Amino acid sequence: MPVKNSFRKSSFRFSLAILLTCLSCSWSLHVLQPTDAGAESSAAEEQLVQAMIEHIDCFPLEVLDVQQGKPLISIKELCMANIYHQNGARPLWVSSDGPGVRGRAIRERLQRAAEEGLNSQDYEVDTLERLWESRQPEDLARLDTHLSYGLVRYIHDLRFGQIQLRAVDSQLFAEAGDEAFDPLRAVLEARSAPDFEGYLDGLAPQHSYYRQLREALQHYRELAAQEDWPVMVAGPVLRPGMADARLAVLRQRLALTENYQGVVEESGVYHPDLVKTVKAFQEKHGLEPDGVIGPKTLAMLNRTPEELIKTIRVNMARWRWQAHDLGDTYLMVNIAAFSLKGIRDGQESLNLPVIVGKFQHQTPVFSSRIRYLEFHPYWTITPNIARNEELPALRKNRFHLVDRHVRLFSSWQEDAVELDSTAIDWEEVSRAQMGRYRLRQDPGPWNALGQVKFVFPNKHMVYLHDTPTQNLFQQASRSFSHGCIRVSQPLLLAAFCLEGQDGWTGAAIEGIVAAGQRKVVSLRNPLPVHITYQTAWVDNNGVIRFNADIYGRDRKILEALDAHRIPH
């Protein structure tokens, strides 16, 4: 058994053991206290209550042998004993006649967890099925406990994302799950909901990005049910006008997902109509839309529905741990698609290409608010860039900073003095010493931040900005930065940010740019910005799009999603 999977399974068992041990400890103190003196219970209900007490008291013994490792959720978060105590030592979802309406609703949702891209095995569904028809008090007691546990995990996973993702990469997926999640409060909230089905419906993100992926997931599952998915074999690069025996398979493949209407009796020549469809396919998958079928396009064409289903599930998982309410007006950056969209009153009004971080300088995923715009900004070079790039360049050319209008200061303190970078023997400066200097590039056409910077305070020191290297936006794959996001047509973005703010017309913005002077403009209403990493999404035309996983993150998430739990 792989070490990772073994850890997850034992961790899950341990978590359940802790939950039930907590229940046991609480029962020993509380279950013998009198319940509502005015309530009359049938003998069957009293037997069920007694079975609940005995079940909670002894069930942990079944899993004590695997109490190893660290639980994914803390002891405090798992302990739900008080919920049962507050209910007078009675089950929450079942009676002596079997599961109630809400118990049946829980079971149905857990059975349908796959619709949300989740794994039903994470929610004890097999155990629920084994116990469902039994009316033995002991089985009903176990059933109620498993319904509670499944519901708590389901609520947590839909609202905050699966916390087990942190076991795969605690830094990369630090926002997945909620360590402050309170299962007691979650169960109370669920039980008090007047519309229980509506409550369950509202757990997942309600925005269109998530809903559309859920619909796409169903569509590709229907495609996966079809037999004989066409696969193009490897061969020479296929260019427009060429003849190739594989064209028949290509037409079949494009008919399934691109609605290609060409007939199979067509000639064996790669004709313009087919080229047009291939270009649309390439654009949809983040490839250069040149109509040439080389290795990258062939690989995308041969991705099976099962592979695309996995990609959709991964991206649904990402949305669950990000903000569920994006707002009515906001910016959305998709790192993997190299795009920025401006949404105003729920409608897309801006769509710009962007440049994101290199693989070794990955742009992080988070949400914040743009507080101000800085026209003709300074660029203060980070210590890491100074050590890793500026110092080696200075050792080769002592005029390296001067040539780029970069000024050198003695320290990062306010009273730092400016130094002559050409008078320093950079061979004698260590990497550690280099980090103590402050390097600042003056505003101008040479400035790495261009004409305007969009600032949203964050721990990653990331922001949006213009760039003098506008030619890079012509490339299909655009990961060239040190982590910040470079924007094409930044003045359009500035106009979007300042729209509705008195005096800030397009002409006013152009006037600031023409003046060439540094100016900071605060936003009256800070603008939400959501930086995401979506390798699958649905565009405004309802078309599902896929993009390359430029940072290689999808596989790690899929590992965690498919690490099945052992039912108890």
Side-chain angles (χ1 to χ4, degrees):
M1 177 183 295
V3 173
K4 284 187 178 179
N5 286 346
S6 176
F7 167 76
R8 291 183 191 133
K9 291 173 181 175
S10 63
S11 180
F12 172 75
R13 285 178 168 175
F14 182 43
S15 299
L16 183 57
I18 292 171
L19 163 63
L20 298 172
T21 302
C22 288
L23 291 169
S24 176
C25 295
S26 182
W27 282 123
S28 64
L29 295 175
H30 299 300
V31 295
L32 298 180
Q33 299 299 320
T35 58
D36 187 350
E40 294 185 2
S41 301
S42 67
E45 294 300 327
E46 290 302 329
Q47 288 179 353
L48 177 54
V49 170
Q50 185 59 37
M52 286 292 300
I53 296 171
E54 294 173 356
H55 164 59
I56 297 301
D57 185 55
C58 72
F59 189 70
L61 299 178
E62 302 176 19
V63 290
L64 287 178
D65 61 319
V66 289
Q67 289 193 16
Q68 305 174 31
K70 181 181 178 182
L72 293 174
I73 304 177
S74 72
I75 293 176
K76 176 183 176 183
E77 292 164 346
L78 278 170
C79 188
M80 298 193 301
N82 288 338
I83 289 291
Y84 282 93
H85 173 58
Q86 291 172 11
N87 199 44
R90 283 170 169 75
L92 302 177
W93 318 107
V94 309
S95 70
S96 59
D97 294 326
V101 173
R102 296 195 174 198
R104 293 194 294 273
I106 295 170
R107 176 205 188 196
E108 180 188 3
R109 291 304 174 110
L110 301 185
Q111 287 175 325
R112 292 165 42 203
E115 294 178 6
E116 304 290 343
L118 299 170
N119 239 321
S120 61
Q121 293 187 28
D122 283 348
Y123 308 103
E124 306 269 301
V125 169
D126 290 347
T127 301
L128 296 181
E129 296 306 305
R130 289 198 302 270
L131 300 171
W132 195 257
E133 298 300 330
S134 176
R135 295 298 177 262
Q136 294 298 316
E138 296 80 7
D139 289 342
L140 288 170
R142 288 172 58 85
L143 177 61
D144 196 85
T145 301
H146 286 286
L147 282 169
S148 294
Y149 187 80
L151 176 64
V152 164
R153 287 197 66 93
Y154 186 75
I155 292 172
H156 174 274
D157 290 353
L158 280 185
R159 277 189 171 169
F160 307 108
Q162 293 101 307
I163 204 167
Q164 68 260 31
L165 289 169
R166 298 192 197 183
V168 175
D169 193 319
S170 60
Q171 292 186 337
L172 187 58
F173 308 127
E175 296 183 1
D178 179 15
E179 291 183 331
F181 177 71
D182 184 352
L184 284 72
R185 181 176 180 180
V187 171
L188 285 172
E189 184 182 77
R191 282 173 56 81
S192 63
D195 178 4
F196 190 60
E197 293 282 359
Y199 168 80
L200 296 175
D201 287 340
L203 294 174
Q206 299 299 297
H207 53 67
S208 61
Y209 306 103
Y210 184 85
R211 293 198 313 269
Q212 290 169 336
L213 282 180
R214 185 164 48 199
E215 294 169 2
L217 180 64
Q218 177 61 28
H219 172 67
Y220 275 89
R221 282 182 170 147
E222 292 170 359
L223 284 179
Q226 299 182 22
E227 297 181 0
D228 300 326
W229 182 260
V231 175
M232 285 185 68
V233 298
V237 172
L238 185 54
R239 303 180 186 278
M242 291 177 61
D244 195 300
R246 297 174 296 167
L247 289 171
V249 176
L250 176 62
R251 288 192 292 269
Q252 293 172 18
R253 169 64 182 82
L254 295 177
L256 289 172
T257 61
E258 311 307 310
N259 198 30
Y260 180 66
Q261 303 296 320
V263 295
V264 295
E265 291 81 14
E266 290 175 9
S267 68
V269 176
Y270 189 20
H271 59 76
D273 187 48
L274 190 54
V275 171
K276 180 181 178 181
T277 305
V278 169
K279 286 183 177 180
F281 175 89
Q282 290 172 322
E283 183 180 11
K284 196 170 95 171
H285 289 78
L287 301 169
E288 190 69 39
D290 55 11
V292 177
I293 302 179
K296 291 183 179 179
T297 299
L298 184 65
M300 282 292 188
L301 286 166
N302 283 339
R303 291 184 73 186
T304 65
E306 289 80 7
E307 291 175 304
L308 297 174
I309 285 169
K310 291 176 181 179
T311 301
I312 294 170
R313 289 178 57 223
V314 162
N315 286 278
M316 291 176 72
R318 288 190 173 105
W319 280 124
R320 287 193 288 270
W321 82 62
Q322 286 208 261
H324 284 206
D325 184 3
L326 303 176
D328 294 325
T329 299
Y330 56 88
L331 298 181
M332 174 75 72
V333 175
N334 184 348
I335 299 168
F338 312 107
S339 72
L340 178 151
K341 294 182 179 180
I343 310 298
R344 186 172 303 283
D345 298 326
Q347 300 297 316
E348 182 181 312
S349 61
L350 189 67
N351 192 339
L352 302 174
V354 298
I355 291 170
V356 300
K358 306 172 186 176
F359 184 85
Q360 63 270 36
H361 301 293
Q362 297 182 14
T363 300
V365 172
F366 66 100
S367 294
S368 185
R369 290 176 179 269
I370 295 178
R371 304 286 178 179
Y372 62 90
L373 279 59
E374 183 179 350
F375 290 91
H376 299 293
Y378 291 115
W379 177 40
T380 300
I381 298 174
T382 66
N384 275 341
I385 295 177
R387 284 190 292 263
N388 297 329
E389 299 181 23
E390 304 298 333
L391 180 57
L394 281 165
R395 287 172 175 172
K396 294 179 180 178
N397 174 17
R398 60 193 177 96
F399 290 95
H400 172 69
L401 298 185
V402 174
D403 291 344
R404 294 162 53 243
H405 303 269
V406 176
R407 299 165 69 184
L408 178 71
F409 295 88
S410 59
S411 73
W412 289 82
Q413 305 301 318
E414 289 186 7
D415 59 353
V417 297
E418 187 171 358
L419 304 175
D420 180 0
S421 62
T422 66
I424 295 174
D425 183 355
W426 292 104
E427 292 291 346
E428 297 298 319
V429 175
S430 68
R431 284 169 48 83
Q433 290 171 330
M434 189 67 186
R436 298 171 190 162
Y437 292 116
R438 178 161 58 95
L439 284 67
R440 191 185 72 188
Q441 190 175 43
D442 287 335
W446 50 78
N447 189 283
L449 305 187
Q451 296 175 324
V452 59
K453 177 172 74 168
F454 306 81
V455 182
F456 38 100
N458 61 85
K459 65 180 181 181
H460 309 286
M461 298 179 67
V462 165
Y463 42 85
L464 292 156
H465 65 86
D466 181 20
T467 175
T469 56
Q470 290 288 318
N471 59 301
L472 294 178
F473 290 106
Q474 304 304 314
Q475 299 193 31
S477 181
R478 297 185 293 275
S479 51
F480 305 116
S481 81
H482 287 89
C484 286
I485 302 156
R486 306 177 193 172
V487 185
S488 67
Q489 297 180 279
L491 299 189
L492 285 181
L493 179 57
F496 181 91
C497 294
L498 292 168
E499 185 173 333
Q501 195 154 320
D502 294 344
W504 286 105
T505 62
I509 293 172
E510 290 175 1
I512 288 181
V513 172
Q517 300 298 313
R518 179 174 177 269
K519 184 176 181 63
V520 174
V521 179
S522 297
L523 297 187
R524 185 175 61 224
N525 298 311
L527 180 65
V529 54
H530 306 287
I531 302 178
T532 68
Y533 185 91
Q534 294 291 306
T535 56
W537 72 98
V538 178
D539 66 18
N540 289 336
N541 298 316
V543 176
I544 179 73
R545 291 179 173 267
F546 298 93
N547 223 80
D549 180 13
I550 60 172
Y551 294 158
R553 297 178 178 178
D554 284 8
R555 179 184 55 80
K556 289 186 175 183
I557 296 180
L558 193 63
E559 275 183 16
L561 295 183
D562 285 344
H564 297 333
R565 316 275 185 212
I566 293 181
H568 294 77

